[in-house]
Amino acid sequence: MRKLLCSLLLTIFCVSYASAQTTVTGVVKDDTGESLPGASVIIKGTKGGTMTDLNGKFSLSVAAPSTAVLKVSYIGMKVFELPLKGKTSGLVIQLESNSSQLDELVVVGYGSVKKKDLTGSVTTVKGESLTKVPVTSVAEALTGKIAGVRMTTTDGSPDAEVLIRVRGGGSITGDNSPLYVVDGFPVDKINDIPTNDIEDITVLRDASSTAIYGSRGANGVILITTKKSDGGATKVNYNSFYTTKKIANRLKPMNTYDYVMSNYEYALLKGSTSSFYNSFGVYDDLDLYKSVKPIDWQSDMFGANVLTQQQNVSVTGGNKTTNFSLSGTYDYNGGLMVNNDYSRYAFQFKLNHEMSKNLKLGFNARVSDQVVNGSGTQGGSYKVRTSQAITSVATRGLSDFISVDTSTMTDEELQQYIQNTQSLSEQAQQYWKRTNNRSFNFNGSLDWIIFKGLTAHGEAGYGYGFNEAKNWWSATTTNASYVGGLPLADWTKTNTGTYREAATLTYDLKANDDHHITVMAGQEVSSSMSNNTYMYGTKYSKAYNAETVFANFGLANGVVTEKSAINAADNLNSYFGRLNYSFKERYLLAITMREDGSSKFGDGHHWGLFPAVAGGWRILDEPFMGSTKKVLSNLKLRVSYGEAGNNRIGNTLYMMTYALNNGTKRYGVGETANNDYSAASSYLSNPLLTWETAVNRDLGLDFGFMDERINGTFDIYSNTTRNLLIPHTITAPGYTAVYENTAQTSNQGIELSINASIVRKKNFTLDANFNIGFNRSKVDALSSGLESMSFASGWAGTDNKNQEDYIVKVGQPIGQIYGWASDGYYTTNDFDSYNAATKTYVLKSGVPTTGLLGGATGIRPGTMKLKDVSGPNGVPDGVVDSYDRVVIGKTSPLFQGGFGLSSSCYGFDMNANFTFTVGNDIYNANKIAATQQYRSGTYPNMLNIMNQSNSYSYMNPETGQLMTSLADLAQWNEGTNAKQYWSPYSVGSTTVVPTSWAIEDGSFLRLQSLTIGYTLPKKLLGKLKIQNLRIYSTATNLFVLTKYSGFDPEISSSVRNSEYSNLTPGIDYSSYPKSRGYTFGLNITF
Amino acid sequence: MKKKINILITALAIFTLSSCNDFLNVSSPSQADTKFVFSNTEDAQKVLMGVYVKFCEDPFTSRMSNAWMQNTDVECYGPNAGLPSGGHRSDLFGLQASADVSFSDVYNAWNNNYQAIDRANQVIDGIKSSAISSNAEMQQMLGEAYCLKAYRYWMLCNFWGDVPYFDVPAKLGDELDKPKADKNIVYSKCLQDLVDIEGKMKFSDVNTGGIERMNRDFALGLIARIALFRAGYGMTSNGTMKRADDYLDIATNSDLAVTYTDNDGNTQIATSYTDYYKMAKNYAQKLISLKPRSLRSDFVSIFKDECQYKVKNNDEVLYEVAFTESYGGDVGWCIGVANTGTCALGNTTDQVGLSPLYFMSFADNDVRRDATCARYSNVNDTIASCTSSTNLFVGKWNRAWATKALGSGSSKGTGINWPLMRYSDVLLMLAEAENELNGGTDVAKSALKAVRERAFVNSPTYNKDVTSYVDSVAGSKDLFFKAIVNERAWEFGGECLRKFDLNRWNNYGETVNKVVADLNNWAISSDSTLTSLVKDKYPDAIKFKNNADYLYFAKSSNKITWMNDKYKITDIIPYFSKYNVSVIYKISWGAYLLKKVTTYTYNGVAYTKVVKVTNTDGTITYTLDGIMTVSVASGVSPGINKVVSYQAGDFATRLYRGYTGTTGIGTGAVPYLMPIGTLTLSSSKVLSNDGYGFSNTYVGTDVNVEFASVATEYK
């Protein structure tokens, strides 16, 4: 295209200039050495000149070659002046790129600015760099690419959520996720957008840039611009990849023999071996288990044949006035578990039309349909948990050979029996789940240039969603036992709708070369609504599978319930304005103001005003910097102050309203399930609720060296979130909490990102990027008078007797784990004597005891020991109880970031992305559950570290007898035979004690992906009418360097029933193990 | 240009107009405000149902209504072995609740009560400010709200002692973190509310919902009940049991007084405990005179009706909590006859048991014994199995009677109703109040007699059991009181009223000590060697010499025929011919209460096991616990002693271990109160668990009292 145009122009030039003097010849090349056709070559000071031909060559008549100076220019290149000094042939002129990144437009709220004019802390990631690595979700693709943005993939499930936190996030209990804006339209989630459809992603981090979003910008803004056509000839792109996955890391449970011996010891401790003998045979025969291979539950549970794929086709095209792009993507993301997967269909259509020179019309539509099958490893009492892959029986012993009469079993025993006889993958099937989210978004926009400098922009959009969740429980689940012992099902359908309208008026006034003012004013209205219907049926025939039940919901023989609700709208009305002023292009000033009215607050509290101001100083453009320009290409200092709001709380918390009871209990007067009303919110209503305000302060430095070949950004920030909306637990009749604007948090940090173009040759390029962010969060104040608040992660429900295992303290960061300091185990030195009559061990005076453990051993040598640090009076009291809890871990990392290398070499390309996180603690709850008999059946297995040779054992290994005397215990467990751990039986089967032992360093370095691709030579493709063809292969999660002992250090399990999951981060319980994947894919452009 | 600007101005005007403030005042069509819901009876009733529905949640269905009402001399269930690890229901059975400060069940139960109270206050507030508040149906509902509130406070005061009292719905800005109010003040306030409203309420025969909603019959009974509690004892902050008169200024504190009009039309002001006995008597009599009725003749049918979803108004039950299948109710799941196997109507997880001494206490002809105590469980639909003495379950409820297809895999959510008060309770309250005021008068006697008449309706010794019995106790106030104490046990066994009654009578401690002593004496009497060995130390054991060691029975299909009910059988042979059976089974009864532990001592060290092997050379090797070996020539003593230790059974040891301690005898007040949960305390500036006999650690151990040990030489 470009070449065609050039040759045309060349012809015209050739006609115009025909007089011959001395002929000068040469060639013009670009900075990679490629010849440049169509470059303009003129003789300075004259009108004479020419253009280069298709091969970049030129030929020009020059009157005085000894003094003439050639001026070579090309769009996007710096003008180059060459004094001929008599030379007339063999000239090679290499132009330097002028397309400085500094002139690129960066999308900011309600407009865009040149990168060099930015005054805020803004980072943009280009779509190409996202699509190089084959992933389904945008968030996954962004991981490790932006300084100061923490992305945590919750676990390895196929629909895993990615938690995104910009600069730590200010809220304590509220939602800290940033605002997502797709093509100007705020949305709740971005997992319905395929990475292939993305043009670029911009992250706004400081208030000077987020304040224009006012109410919702407090936690940062992520702007996504989808791809549009450049116009021109129709292009067809096809991208496809296939991935195979397997579990990336396995844990080691005890082998069969160790397993059997350990359970034998437990039988001895309980004083009853008969049922053990019935299950596994007599002691003398246990040697046989040495040759029995343990059942591989990890493979059973996470060994599904996983195939993941993506197919994407896009078509772009148009003409001068109208262009379009159309894209369709299908993703299938298989899970490691059977019948657990994610699939998505996504379509996107974008149309731009220039009605007249002054009037532009835009339209885009996005449609997606996502389905998630299976419930994975999360939540509920009957769904399998990850730790069961360790704790399930290593062997079924004799039970395979004897018949069992299930009718004599109690409920608990039967449940146990089922769990023991069904494989974990079979158990997972007893709970069937499918969720389906369909979303539709339509946007239109109009740009009108009223007169030069004054532009009006209007946009309006409508988005709606149909979401469904279906659950089916088999007859063997406890849920079924409550409602007649037959399968049951429920079906929730939620419809959501959002409309939004925004209009801006921008006036661009360039008074003279020194003063440049841009003023923008606008207003915006948005409204979101939702409604849902719920169906519930019980006593379905066991003969029907889940699909049949949902196809015939009326088949229920038991209770059938239908419910519906239309929720209050979430309305927002806003006015905003921005003033940008630059003086001599060196001094930049931006003032933003936004006023938002939200329906989430009551009368008199609707409105919030959010101002921001920012300044920039392009130091490099100062005259005194002239000498540095050879090395420096950019140097800009930015400073900003701004406020942004947050209203992410429930819709009508400011007033008391009644709603129909949504629970499963009904009062049964007249033998019918009576409807009842109760307060719609479980929080006490607070009419005074108003905006939470984040105050952001930022100091930044942008720099570039050697014509931006090395460039980077450095930011220091200090953010404070005031009037924090926080549920304050209260003592009040009927309520346990109220939302208040009382708390305050702060985040301080440093961010640095550097990009370097190390080699830039025609056939070899090497680029590197690096980013790192340090963030310190601190709680400045809690609800009035409170110095600390503690929260329960809920992973062990009420089995964690002092349930709150997280604490928030004034002056300290959020996410502190609260528990007991581990002190190894009691040794025989801690005891005076053993009383055989009472079977108790007498502690030496001064050695603390505890009633927390509830294990079969009681307090004896080998029992887990905890530190006695305090008591009711603040001094150690000889008893370890709830007074002895301390902060045992901090979940926020010291720093995190990523780095990557990309290279191309003769058609080959390589890309490697690393991410790292350093200094955070992980609360390894899985480890706790798998190192004691925690609700894991009669004969559970454990992690191998708990085998008898590594943990305190009461069984004499020579005789198989129980040892009780201090001397015997010392001989086999202490001194030269010292064991690493306490007896796993020192903690009860329904007790968990969070100790510092379960807190591990979660630092890691991950090779997120490694891609090698090859682009076939154009010459070859030309014959096939293919413009571009690239094939590639990617390995994801190739390695993780970490000391963490669990499946993977990047976790944040959402714990069932947890209202406060924001406050209990970094816990690893039943998280879905991550996988390692190998992908093969191709990109074709026709 | 001008045109363009005009367009612009018009556009802006449209935008501005479209966004007036109404846009920011939103509401959900699925939600209604207070004004609306109390504007008509239908919606007001739904708010009222929101108070009732709190009865359908776990803290009530399987905690406060039954499992936590143990361990008394009637309802009791053996706690688990070992020191409690905290946070288990069995800690509460064993009277060790006070260290369970972080047990979420305790926290949830507290909240369940206060949620119900707040909702009741919303109804009270809503109806009072409603335009149709004088409507008869609205007044009835107002009465229900007061009854529900009073019942919840009654539970709170009995489980937690003094508690914060709230009279209006919670609103931000009000004092919500209130200090504890004395339970007697709470009782008086509730009584005043009930006294003022009861006349506006409807009797169960005309009330919508009958006895499944609170009604005037129940309100009158509830006044009598709370008045008796107000007259009785409770735990005070210094850990002692006291009446209001003993420590409060009842003369001047108007919060402790209740004004009511008595049945003679005179205004009465109740302040002293005697006044409250009068009040109890007055309101019991009021119900009896306004709605006289005879007790239902078939005792067991009262409960069978509940299991069969039959409701009868103006009859025995004054109010029962209405559950409906699949939507709530744990009756027949955690209380009732046990279904241990796969039964057509589902299974059970019984957590409420009965004491074998309670079973023994019944007169032989009392129909209530076998209606109340189930000595069997259902293994499946055709086979029943007999249970030992420590596994007696409540026979009043049996899901096998259910007339709905609950399903073989079903568990909770039986829908079987739970009675909160019966007419016989009102009779016994009248008898008790009258006895306190005037002794065993005719009023007291006839009320007690009415209850016994039904119990011995078929008795061949009817006169002895009813008339002579009542006459024999009527002579002495004390004897009559004891008779009331006993009668309430026999009448309401398994209905879980005992614990609170023992509290208000302040005889919980002596009751516990007697139960433990009796259980141990019975255990001793079951072993003749032991009985003779310890007759001096345990002289009372002889009283139990006739108590059964074992119960013998014949079984055909699911029909069980007991050979002996209570007493020992010396010769079972006659029974074979009498009942024409070939096999007679036996189940451990008194013998089950005794624990025998055998150890082997050698050189002063105790071992649990000895293996004796005769070697080829004739010597004999004794291996102790596989560790110690002793070899001796044949015929030579190895010096090993076999020691048999006779100990109290685990049942007696654990039932009340929070009170009995290691000696087997408790002192002072029984620590029956539960602590306020950690989560409540952490958000309160005024509440604490200081005082009230609370302990931060678990008291009481599992060490079984040793009656005697016998050592013999082991060869």
Side-chain angles (χ1 to χ4, degrees), chain A residues 826 843-844 846-850 859 865-868 878-880:
Chain A
Y826 289 92
L843 273 176
K844 282 181 182 163
V847 180
T849 184
T850 183
I859 302 292
K865 194 175 183 184
L866 306 170
K867 278 187 185 143
D868 177 24
V879 180
V880 177

Side-chain angles (χ1 to χ4, degrees), chain B residues 170-387:
Chain B
K171 192 159 95 339
L172 204 73
D174 290 355
E175 184 191 17
L176 298 174
D177 184 15
K178 276 194 181 177
K180 292 175 180 178
D182 190 277
K183 71 186 92 48
N184 289 295
I185 290 175
V186 175
Y187 288 147
S188 289
K189 284 181 180 289
C190 290
L191 283 169
Q192 189 67 61
D193 288 340
L194 292 172
V195 160
D196 293 345
I197 194 70
E198 61 86 7
K200 307 267 178 57
M201 293 180 73
K202 298 178 183 177
F203 282 109
S204 67
D205 49 354
V206 293
N207 183 35
T208 318
I211 60 166
E212 291 188 307
R213 281 171 62 178
M214 293 190 173
N215 48 68
R216 193 170 178 198
D217 315 36
F218 177 73
L220 293 167
L222 189 58
I223 294 173
R225 180 182 285 178
I226 297 176
L228 285 180
F229 276 79
R230 174 65 182 79
Y233 292 82
M235 178 81 78
T236 57
S237 58
N238 67 5
T240 58
M241 298 292 287
K242 279 181 183 157
R243 284 186 146 128
D245 308 47
D246 302 339
Y247 68 104
L248 295 172
D249 184 7
I250 57 163
T252 60
N253 188 344
S254 60
D255 282 348
L256 287 164
V258 176
T259 310
Y260 66 101
T261 309
D262 70 14
N263 295 335
D264 299 327
N266 301 321
T267 300
Q268 301 283 348
I269 299 174
T271 54
S272 70
Y273 73 88
T274 318
D275 294 340
Y276 281 99
Y277 279 123
K278 278 186 197 150
M279 189 174 174
K281 179 188 167 186
N282 183 78
Y283 281 92
Q285 279 182 324
K286 191 169 186 177
L287 176 65
I288 291 164
S289 65
L290 289 174
K291 281 283 167 187
R293 62 193 93 179
S294 51
L295 291 177
R296 190 191 294 204
S297 56
D298 182 7
F299 183 72
V300 78
S301 77
I302 301 165
F303 312 102
K304 207 165 186 172
D305 274 2
E306 290 180 323
C307 297
Q308 298 182 341
Y309 312 100
K310 291 183 203 155
V311 174
K312 219 169 162 195
N313 301 326
N314 197 28
D315 191 61
E316 176 84 20
V317 177
L318 302 185
Y319 167 73
E320 57 190 28
V321 179
F323 295 116
T324 191
E325 192 207 344
S326 297
Y327 285 106
D330 289 351
V331 184
W333 159 248
C334 64
I335 181 167
V337 175
N339 283 5
T340 57
T342 306
C343 300
L345 295 178
N347 40 44
T348 59
T349 179
D350 277 278
Q351 302 209 349
V352 181
L354 295 166
S355 152
L357 285 171
Y358 169 65
F359 175 87
M360 297 297 288
S361 73
F362 279 98
D364 290 344
N365 299 317
D366 192 332
V367 297
R368 296 173 297 189
R369 187 190 69 191
D370 290 349
T372 306
C373 308
R375 285 172 288 169
Y376 66 98
S377 57
N378 301 320
V379 174
N380 58 43
D381 292 326
T382 52
I383 301 170
S385 131
C386 294
T387 55

Side-chain angles (χ1 to χ4, degrees), chain A residues 743-1052:
Chain A
Q744 180 173 314
T745 59
S746 58
N747 279 283
Q748 266 131 30
I750 301 172
E751 289 156 3
L752 174 69
S753 47
I754 297 177
N755 299 302
S757 190
I758 299 163
V759 181
R760 199 185 287 173
K761 292 256 172 69
K762 184 185 176 189
N763 283 318
F764 180 57
T765 63
L766 180 61
D767 295 285
N769 63 75
F770 172 82
N771 71 76
I772 189 166
F774 295 76
N775 184 70
R776 293 280 170 284
S777 72
K778 188 161 77 83
V779 177
D780 299 327
L782 288 168
S783 301
S784 53
L786 283 185
E787 277 303 301
S788 70
M789 289 168 82
S790 46
F791 298 89
S793 66
W795 76 270
T798 56
D799 294 329
N800 181 4
K801 303 300 191 255
N802 290 271
Q803 288 176 61
E804 311 85 13
D805 43 7
Y806 279 80
I807 194 162
V808 173
K809 284 185 177 175
V810 172
Q812 292 185 26
I814 295 167
Q816 296 196 107
I817 311 160
Y818 193 45
W820 288 269
S822 177
D823 197 13
Y825 53 81
Y826 289 92
T827 66
T828 52
N829 293 328
D830 290 325
F831 294 87
D832 270 331
S833 60
Y834 171 61
N835 182 337
T838 59
K839 294 187 179 170
T840 50
Y841 291 81
V842 182
L843 273 176
K844 282 181 182 163
S845 74
V847 180
T849 184
T850 183
L852 291 169
L853 304 173
T857 63
I859 302 292
R860 69 171 86 180
T863 298
M864 175 193 273
K865 194 175 183 184
L866 306 170
K867 278 187 185 143
D868 177 24
V869 297
S870 188
N873 304 321
V875 288
D877 57 350
V879 180
V880 177
D881 50 22
S882 57
Y883 293 108
D884 298 296
R885 288 189 292 171
V886 290
V887 171
I888 52 177
K890 298 188 180 198
T891 54
S892 45
L894 213 57
F895 60 86
Q896 65 219 330
F899 57 91
L901 279 173
S902 63
S903 173
S904 66
C905 184
Y906 290 101
F908 285 94
D909 60 87
M910 185 281 293
N911 189 307
N913 285 310
F914 294 84
T915 60
F916 57 84
T917 295
V918 174
N920 61 313
D921 287 327
I922 295 178
Y923 177 4
N924 191 348
N926 267 343
K927 185 168 85 170
I928 298 178
T931 50
Q932 67 183 69
Q933 286 205 322
Y934 178 60
R935 287 207 185 262
S936 39
T938 318
Y939 299 110
N941 200 359
M942 293 181 226
L943 283 171
N944 188 47
I945 53 170
M946 279 293 154
N947 73 41
Q948 284 173 326
S949 47
N950 205 41
S951 71
Y952 215 97
S953 167
Y954 302 97
M955 193 187 87
N956 185 315
E958 291 181 344
T959 64
Q961 301 276 354
L962 195 67
M963 301 182 290
T964 49
S965 77
L966 293 176
D968 287 348
L969 290 175
Q971 183 193 336
W972 289 104
N973 290 294
E974 297 171 22
T976 50
N977 289 327
K979 301 292 178 64
Q980 192 179 356
Y981 294 115
W982 44 88
S983 163
Y985 303 110
S986 58
V987 188
S989 62
T990 58
T991 304
V992 300
V993 184
T995 69
S996 54
W997 173 69
I999 310 304
E1000 298 185 40
D1001 182 356
S1003 306
F1004 70 89
L1005 170 68
R1006 186 194 306 276
L1007 175 50
Q1008 186 95 356
S1009 65
L1010 177 65
T1011 301
I1012 293 171
Y1014 178 63
T1015 306
L1016 272 70
K1018 290 220 161 55
K1019 278 178 192 163
L1020 196 70
L1021 294 171
K1023 290 169 191 160
L1024 298 166
K1025 307 229 165 169
I1026 292 173
Q1027 285 194 25
N1028 186 43
L1029 173 59
R1030 174 175 172 260
I1031 53 172
Y1032 65 92
S1033 169
T1034 297
T1036 45
N1037 191 17
L1038 256 188
F1039 67 78
V1040 184
L1041 298 179
T1042 183
K1043 283 188 273 181
Y1044 182 62
S1045 75
F1047 280 114
D1048 194 278
E1050 189 184 347
I1051 45 90
S1052 197

Side-chain angles (χ1 to χ4, degrees), chain A residues 358 406-412 448-451 454 456 478 480-485 499 501 503 505 523 525-527 538-539 559-561 564-569 571-573 575 597-599 601-603 606-607 652 654-661 664-678 680 684-688 729-736 738 784-786 798 801-804 836 838-839 851-854 872 879 881 883 959 961-962 968 991, chain B residues 1 4 7-8 12 15-16 18-21 23-34 36-38 43 45-47 49-50 52-53 55-58 83-87 102-105 107 111 114-115 117-119 122 166 168 170-172 176-177 209 212-213 309 319-328 333 340-342 347-349 379-380 404-413 415 417 606 608-609 625-627 678-680 682-685 687 696-697 703:
Chain A
N358 293 333
T406 51
S407 68
T408 60
M409 294 177 175
T410 64
D411 196 31
E412 283 80 9
W448 177 27
I449 302 170
I450 302 168
F451 51 78
L454 183 66
T478 45
S481 82
Y482 297 158
V483 289
Y499 73 80
E501 164 280 313
L505 197 60
Q523 64 70 236
V525 168
S526 78
S527 177
T538 65
K539 294 194 183 172
V559 169
V560 177
T561 311
S564 68
I566 299 174
N567 302 315
N571 290 347
L572 201 62
N573 188 5
Y575 302 93
S598 167
S599 63
F601 307 119
D603 265 340
H606 290 309
W607 293 92
T652 47
Y654 65 90
M655 63 185 285
M656 156 83 179
T657 53
Y658 286 98
L660 269 181
N661 177 5
T664 55
K665 308 290 186 188
R666 289 284 181 284
Y667 191 62
V669 56
E671 272 315 298
T672 52
N674 288 254
N675 279 321
D676 60 85
Y677 284 142
S678 55
L684 181 64
S685 56
N686 180 355
L688 305 174
T729 54
I730 51 167
T731 303
Y735 303 89
T736 56
V738 61
S784 53
L786 283 185
T798 56
K801 303 300 191 255
N802 290 271
Q803 288 176 61
E804 311 85 13
T838 59
K839 294 187 179 170
L852 291 169
L853 304 173
V879 180
D881 50 22
Y883 293 108
T959 64
Q961 301 276 354
L962 195 67
D968 287 348
T991 304
Chain B
M1 185 72 177
K4 283 174 177 174
I7 295 172
L8 209 68
L12 277 175
F15 287 140
T16 314
S18 71
S19 49
C20 60
N21 229 17
F23 181 70
L24 299 179
N25 289 328
V26 296
S27 65
S28 157
S30 302
Q31 293 173 19
D33 65 12
T34 311
F36 171 75
V37 296
F38 293 106
D43 285 293
Q45 184 187 313
K46 287 191 176 65
V47 187
M49 287 297 137
Y52 280 108
V53 83
F55 279 140
C56 303
E57 296 175 355
D58 279 2
L83 243 187
S85 54
S102 55
F103 184 19
S104 65
D105 283 13
Y107 169 74
N111 285 342
Y114 274 112
Q115 267 160 8
I117 286 167
D118 191 60
R119 290 182 181 189
Q122 288 168 27
F166 296 91
V168 291
K171 192 159 95 339
L172 204 73
L176 298 174
D177 184 15
E212 291 188 307
R213 281 171 62 178
Y309 312 100
Y319 167 73
E320 57 190 28
V321 179
F323 295 116
T324 191
E325 192 207 344
S326 297
Y327 285 106
W333 159 248
T340 57
T342 306
N347 40 44
T348 59
T349 179
V379 174
N380 58 43
K404 285 187 180 177
L406 295 175
S408 63
S410 63
S411 59
K412 295 156 85 81
N417 285 359
T608 55
K609 195 173 138 194
D625 281 358
I627 307 165
T678 316
L679 287 173
T680 308
S682 65
S683 55
S684 170
K685 293 194 180 76
L687 296 176
N696 283 320
T697 50
V703 180

